[in-house]
Amino acid sequence: MADRFAGFRRLSLRSLVSRSPRSVAGQVFLLQVAVVVLLVAFSVFALVLQSGRDTNAEAKRRSIAVAETFAHSPGVQEALAAPDPSKVLQPLTEAARKVAGVDFIVVMDTEGIRYTHPLPSRIGKRFVGTIEPSLAGKVYTESVNGPLGREVQATVPIKDDDGKVIALVSAGLKVKNVTHQVARQLPIILGAGAGALVLATGGTALVGRRLRRQTHSLAPDEMTRMYDHHDTVLHSVREGVLIVADDGRLLLANDEARRLLELPPDVEGRLVSELPGLDPETVELLVSGREATDEVHFAGDRLLAVNQRPTDPDGGPKGSVVTLRDSTELQAVTGRAETARERLKLLYDAGLCIGTTLDVKDTAEQLAQVAVPRFADFVTVDLADAVLRGEEPAPTATGMRRSAVEGIRSDHPLYEMGRLIDFVPSTPQARSYGSGHSELVTDLAAATGWQAQDPVRAQKIIDYGIHSLVAAPIQARGAVLGMVNFWRCGDHEPFDEEELSLAEELVARAAVSIDNARRYTREHAMAVTLQRSLLPRALPEQNALDIAYRYLPAQANVSGDWFDVIPLPGGRVALAVGDVVGHGLHAAATMGRLRTAVHNFSTLDLPPDELLSHLDDLVGRIDQDETGTESPEHVVGATCLYAIYDPVTRRCVMARAGHLAPALVHPDGTVTFPDLPGGPPLGLGGMPFQTEELELADGTQLVLYTDGLIEDRSRDLDVGMELLREALAGHPERPPEESCREVLAALLPKRPKDDVALLIARTRGLSPDRIADWDVAADPAAVAGMREAVTEKIEEWGLAELAFSMELILSELITNAIRYASEPIHVRLIHDRTLTCEVSDGSSTSPHLRYAATTDEGGRGLFLVSQIAERWGTRYTPHGKVIWAEQALPNVLLDEAGPDAALPEEGAPGPDGPA
């Protein structure tokens, strides 16, 4: 109120002046200016009228006198009778005009034809004017528009001795020459008017200054308005107003202030310290003159809100203005309104803070943090243990896991975090869980049912000072998921019925978020389980690569990241890593389909570019099938990188479809990212894939990964690639397992937003002494020599048991190559985890295993090979094909069979017998 009154005062004393069109002095000045201007105007107007009449009369008299004088001058009649009157009269008239001071003297005949004129070109032309009165013997004056302009002229007759009019004479003046006398007098009149105006201005300035000092520049209507406002403040405003001088005297008190403070009638002019009945603190405030805003002071049995402001911020008299407002009745209402506002604010904050994550425990902790200390001193949240696993809760309050504990102190005696609790039926928690309704215990010391749960701990709780409890069930979709316990201690008031409703509303808002988190936990667990079941459970046995891997599902959702390690014939190993677009069960299931397809295509021993082409067709068909359904989720693409490493040649062939390029850690510790051609993601179709072949030295680490490892919203892709380089560089001897740990620690946040698949493989080339190869001539006679050479090499490797069977396999494969294929023919033996025989030729035709009838002479060779070999097959190369066959090593056979496996009896038929 004090602020409003100060603003009102400033408005009255300053703002209204600026809003008024003119002050009193200004209005007086304008009136004086108007009077002076009118006087000057009237003077000029009178001067013009009077001067016009006088000058016109004078001009007529002069014109008549000049015209009559010239008409009676000697020699005029003789000149008129001359043969050329103009020749005689023109010089005479011009000389007379100049002497007489007129503008023209014109002599004309009775027809009005001029004999003379100041303008010679006008001689002989008709006179402009009226001549009839003059022809009748009269003198005639008039004003006409003649050759010289506007003219005042007089026309008189020239008579002969008989009195007959023989000619006319006209003399006159131009009007502008008549009125120039007025122009000479105007400066005198205007100068007098300007002098009067200057005197009026000076007088007005002096009077205006005096008026502004006395009226604060207020106009009369503003002064009237000020008086009306003053009267309203004194008698009508329902807030007390006091104005106190700088010396502590009360200058003004309105009716409301007199009533609130019970002031006597003669209070104005007295010192505030002498006023009876005022509280000492109120007197101290009024005398100090300091600023105050809504300070509460007592006046008898009233509670007053006092505001005080100085009166001199704008140059006014020193002092202060005080407003008083009776807040006795509003105090209780304000308290209740504040409580309601705080509760609404609590519910609003709960809506913002609870449920920001899809984690059940985090949501429970958010609920506890919101309620402490604004509603309760301690909050504990107990959830059914099944709910934490994403399952449906039990029907009774058993198996409750304490999921959140929050309080104003940490030394409380309540159950600790993570404890499994079975609430007994007499506890408020058990009753509330069973009924679905909240329980209020206002005095824990007097209640006995809850103490049966743990009497010793219950006594500690009471001794600690906790005295009140609200147990509210967490309900969603008709099921109770857990309990929220609100505790109060110390001097705080116990919970009441209104606060019970608030607790129920608070828990109801959190229940939806907890149930959503529970359902998400269930779906997430299912998706992770499905995805892990579709990923490799263990790495296959092989000697070409030392491999370590990591797969981390996203905390928020499961996507379609996957990897695979697939042994291939000839000691080669295929590495695959990919990512399916999308999240959830659908992406995980699609990932399983793609991984299965990669396994199937790899059995065909296809090069990486052909395998990706087949995979691209498969994803396109899946996409078409999914798009045709009503499900909004369908595959729109996937990425994949497929690489084949050959330990014999130490070369790696790879191709990618929309996937990130791998990283290579060279034996010297440097890290590079090969410039692998990037094909389009799977499912788009239309573009071929390209392969890149790299030669890898022993000990080179090949790092394959998905985009979840390096991509993040908080950093660019280039930054992630550089972080990966730094995590790998400088550690060429570090095992792949340790490299996996270091890379994840350097690049991943605590809660990754996307799935991460990481595969690190260190190359191990096959020793040259375990490889043997020969070129074979296209001659059947060369088969016997090859059998001897192969048998000798096998015995050198200590595998004599496999020599005979390998001779049979080699004989059949070389014979088929010589008979049906084309040169060059090449044989290679590889001693690795198996003994592999490879026969290559320049033909792209592939043999097929078929059933041979008893009457057929041939067709049993490949059947024999399939029976003897562990595995066999064909792969195509850019220059032909390779037919290979594998035999398990004897020690491997023993390991697989076990120590108790029976060995063939001595003398039993060998492979050569049935053959």
Side-chain angles (χ1 to χ4, degrees), residues 594 614-624 635 637-638 682-683:
L594 294 184
H614 288 292
L615 204 61
D616 181 61
D617 294 338
L618 174 63
V619 173
R621 290 196 299 272
I622 294 175
D623 192 14
Q624 293 177 0
V635 178
L682 300 174

Side-chain angles (χ1 to χ4, degrees), residues 862-877:
L862 287 181
F863 177 77
L864 180 65
V865 171
S866 67
Q867 295 300 310
I868 297 175
E870 187 76 15
R871 293 190 307 162
W872 75 280
T874 304
R875 72 173 181 270
Y876 294 93
T877 66

